[in-house]
Amino acid sequence: MKKAIIACAAVMTLGLMSCGDTKMCYKLSVIVDGREVTTEYVFGTSNDIDAYAAKLKQAQELIFGEALVSVQRSTFSNLKSEADCHE
């Protein structure tokens, strides 16, 4: 019974972490032709981070031209505060 309660609590916690309106710090990595070129930390809601990642990808595609560019977002927040996020 204890294990079931702990499992439910863990699932609920993960569910809350993925809310689109909760501001958290996420790591974005720009990858060009399979190599990580740059990494930055961005603080905002999940929806804001996705929008920023799309704009970042477009900007990097203009810089690198024909190269294969992708932006990977960390799956989970690193739980840094807004002040600590940009370090």
Side-chain angles (χ1 to χ4, degrees):
M1 182 67 172
K2 227 184 227 187
K3 290 180 183 180
I5 292 172
I6 292 172
C8 288
V11 170
M12 288 176 57
T13 301
L14 290 175
L16 291 174
M17 289 179 67
S18 64
C19 290
D21 60 352
T22 303
K23 289 187 175 185
M24 295 185 179
C25 183
Y26 290 93
K27 176 183 171 184
L28 293 177
S29 300
V30 177
I31 299 174
V32 178
D33 288 335
R35 293 183 315 190
E36 187 173 318
V37 176
T38 186
T39 298
E40 63 181 275
Y41 292 89
V42 183
F43 191 84
T45 65
S46 183
N47 297 334
D48 292 341
I49 302 300
D50 289 340
Y52 180 79
K55 288 181 182 179
L56 180 61
K57 182 178 184 215
Q58 288 177 345
Q60 296 300 319
E61 287 173 339
L62 290 174
I63 293 169
F64 290 103
E66 296 292 319
L68 179 62
V69 176
S70 66
V71 176
Q72 291 181 347
R73 181 183 107 169
S74 58
T75 307
F76 296 106
S77 161
N78 58 19
L79 302 177
K80 289 184 177 182
S81 68
E82 185 173 8
D84 294 336
C85 184
H86 303 287
E87 295 178 356

